[in-house]
């Protein structure tokens, strides 16, 4: 065992786990007050569900054996027969690698929750998350990250999850939004619950993304360092780009826009982080953010698909752009393990063609399987809440909870103010110490 590499991967695993509550704060801050609990619970529940699924059959389907280059087998259900102490190529234990991959299995399905908040039944979403993990996510992991996978054998480059995570989750978000239909007209323009939460969630996601991207080197080496640097630079470029686009189109920079741009940069650099130069990361951050911005502002309103928090516009579109541009900017000068350079570094069109093929396959596979899962599950349970429950809010309708009881208290105090003014003389005795504060005692004043 290489102790440095193993410690690095364990820390990276913790950072990736940290991203899921960060995402809960990000989405929870963006939704309306009456759907905060439902949104945050729908994200956070995956930390339990995905861990158990990964142990029961996820690891086996992803990395054990091979069936037609698409999925593994069930020879290691419940991790039976897996030697957790055996070492991988970077001399970390298989147990550490499995733990790291487990964290990706948690955050990926949580990403598309943002598209369907406020109108999907929690029970349906929970069953869909389980079925989606088994029939879509684990096969995608095998296809791309298992040495026996079909896309892996084609030479696809996906350093930390452009196809496996972001295009996968983004396309799923679009599919679910289309099947659900739009929110009620009165619920589309509700104010965001808590903008500081949005910034907090974005900051947590950015911090956790170093585990996501740099950790995917699976060793303390130059590739991990390069992935950390390119992730930082691409994200900064995306953040600033979105801000200037907002100023250019609306005249005002917005916190939500800056945080959305930040995520676009993180998403776009994910498939390329360990393969591109710093200038390559600048180009990827810029192009992906401009593309996502154009989709969200111009194309999305014409599609008629109500992706509530732009899960596809951010993760899907930026993931697609990042995956394709990996075929342009990847270079052996950064990562000598890749077979060929990208188009911009004299490698010709082959790698770009492979990246386009992998991207198109991921979109088609996820869309088809996602639709199939929805059709089957809708035969057994309702997908959408009733109009009355949607108007009430899913916090009360689905869970019987409120996001912040202090909000109710402050509302009652504000209702009390007119009575205080009306009956001021009656309150004077109780409130006079507020109008004329008592002088400090000698003890309090320090004399």
């Amino acid at each position: 065992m290489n102790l440095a590499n193993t410690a690095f991967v364990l820390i990276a695993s913790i950072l990736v786990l940290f991203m899921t509550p960060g995402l809960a704060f990000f989405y929870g801050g963006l939704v309306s007050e009456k759907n905060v609990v439902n949104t945050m619970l729908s994200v956070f529940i995956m930390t339990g569900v995905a861990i158990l699924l990964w142990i029961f059959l996820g690891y086996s389907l992803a990395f054990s054996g091979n069936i037609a280059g698409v999925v593994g087998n069930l020879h290691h259900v419940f991790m039976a027969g897996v030697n957790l102490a055996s070492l991988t190529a970077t001399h970390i234990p298989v147990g550490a690698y499995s733990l790291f991959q487990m964290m990706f299995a948690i955050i990926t399905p949580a990403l598309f929750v943002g598209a369907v908040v406020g109108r999907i039944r929690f029970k349906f979403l929970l069953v869909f998350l389980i079925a989606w993990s088994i029939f879509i996510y684990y096969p995608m992991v095998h296809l791309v990250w298992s040495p026996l996978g079909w896309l892996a054998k084609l030479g696809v480059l996906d350093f930390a999850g452009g196809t496996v995570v972001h295009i996968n989750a983004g396309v799923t978000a679009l599919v679910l939004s289309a099947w659900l239909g739009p929110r009620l007209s009165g619920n589309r323009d509700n104010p965001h619950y808590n903008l500081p939460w949005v910034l907090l969630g974005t900051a947590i996601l950015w911090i956790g993304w170093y585990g996501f991207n740099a950790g995917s080197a699976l060793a303390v080496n130059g590739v991990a360092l390069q992935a950390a640097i390119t992730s930082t630079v691409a994200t900064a470029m995306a953040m600033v780009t979105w801000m200037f686009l907002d100023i250019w189109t609306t005249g005002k920079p917005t916190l939500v826009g800056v945080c959305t741009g930040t995520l676009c940069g993180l998403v776009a650099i994910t498939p390329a982080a360990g393969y591109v130069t710093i200038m390559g990361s600048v180009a990827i951050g810029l192009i992906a953010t401009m593309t996502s911005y154009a989709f969200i502002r111009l194309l999305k309103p014409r599609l008629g698909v109500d992706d509530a928090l732009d899960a596809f516009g951010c993760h899907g579109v930026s993931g697609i752009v990042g995956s394709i541009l990996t075929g342009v900017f990847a270079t052996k000068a950064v990562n000598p393990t890749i077979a060929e350079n990208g188009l911009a570094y004299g490698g010709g069109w082959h790698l770009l063609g492979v990246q386009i093929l992998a991207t198109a396959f991921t979109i088609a596979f996820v869309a088809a399987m996602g639709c199939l899962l929805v059709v089957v599950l809708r035969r057994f349970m309702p997908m959408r809440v009733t109009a009355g429950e949607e108007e009430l809010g899913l916090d009360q309708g689905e869970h019987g909870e409120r996001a912040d009881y202090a909000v109710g208290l402050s509302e009652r105090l504000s209702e009390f103010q007119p009575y205080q003014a009306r009956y001021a003389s009656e309150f004077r005795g109780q409130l006079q110490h507020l109008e004329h504060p008592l002088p400090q005692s000698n003890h309090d004043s320090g004399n």
Side-chain angles (χ1 to χ4, degrees), residues 49-346:
V49 173
I51 288 171
L52 295 178
L53 273 176
W54 183 257
I55 294 299
F56 292 169
L57 46 77
Y59 176 82
S60 188
L61 285 175
F63 294 111
S64 171
N66 179 54
I67 300 176
V70 176
V71 72
N73 55 39
L74 294 175
H75 292 177
H76 294 299
V77 172
F78 297 99
M79 303 292 285
V82 178
N83 182 2
L84 298 179
S86 61
L87 300 181
T88 67
T90 56
H91 294 276
I92 64 171
V94 167
Y97 180 68
S98 177
L99 183 69
F100 183 65
Q101 286 288 345
M102 178 196 293
M103 302 311 171
F104 282 69
I106 295 171
I107 186 67
T108 306
L111 294 174
F112 60 74
V113 168
V116 296
V117 293
R119 61 199 196 277
I120 193 169
R121 289 186 180 273
F122 182 79
K123 292 179 182 178
F124 182 94
L125 178 63
L126 193 62
V127 175
F128 180 85
L129 288 169
I130 294 171
W132 180 91
S133 296
I134 296 171
F135 294 104
I136 298 179
Y137 182 72
Y138 302 147
M140 281 302 307
V141 174
H142 185 83
L143 279 161
V144 177
W145 286 336
S146 169
L148 302 176
W150 173 61
L151 292 177
K153 288 183 176 180
L154 285 180
V156 170
L157 298 182
D158 188 351
F159 191 74
T163 53
V164 177
V165 176
H166 295 296
I167 299 176
N168 191 356
V171 172
T172 303
L174 193 65
V175 167
L176 286 176
S177 299
W179 279 97
L180 267 176
R183 288 165 289 176
L184 297 177
S185 57
N187 292 337
R188 297 182 199 177
D189 298 318
N190 289 330
H192 303 304
Y193 175 69
N194 194 318
L195 289 183
W197 279 15
V198 177
L199 177 57
L200 173 65
T202 304
I204 293 174
L205 285 167
W206 192 341
I207 292 169
W209 226 287
Y210 288 103
F212 205 86
N213 284 1
S216 292
L218 301 175
V220 181
N221 56 26
V223 174
L225 176 61
Q226 187 74 13
I229 294 174
T230 55
S231 298
T232 305
V233 174
T235 304
M237 187 70 228
M239 172 196 284
V240 173
T241 299
W242 195 288
M243 182 187 70
F244 279 115
L245 288 171
D246 262 349
I247 294 173
W248 181 47
T249 56
T250 68
K252 295 180 180 180
T254 64
L255 178 61
V256 171
V258 165
C259 291
T260 303
T262 300
L263 284 188
C264 287
L266 290 166
V267 168
I269 196 61
T270 292
Y275 302 127
V276 300
T277 64
I278 292 177
M279 287 310 299
S281 70
V282 170
I284 289 173
L286 175 65
I287 297 170
T289 304
M290 293 177 67
T291 308
S292 281
Y293 191 93
F295 175 86
I296 292 170
R297 294 284 190 260
L298 302 177
L299 186 56
K300 177 188 169 184
R302 300 180 181 181
L303 289 179
V305 177
D306 187 12
D307 178 355
L309 303 183
D310 292 314
F312 177 76
C314 181
H315 295 278
V317 174
S318 286
I320 289 168
V321 173
S323 179
I324 293 173
L325 290 183
T326 302
V328 176
F329 295 109
T331 170
K332 298 177 74 171
V334 168
N335 192 329
T337 64
I338 65 176
E340 57 186 329
N341 286 329
L343 180 63
Y345 292 89

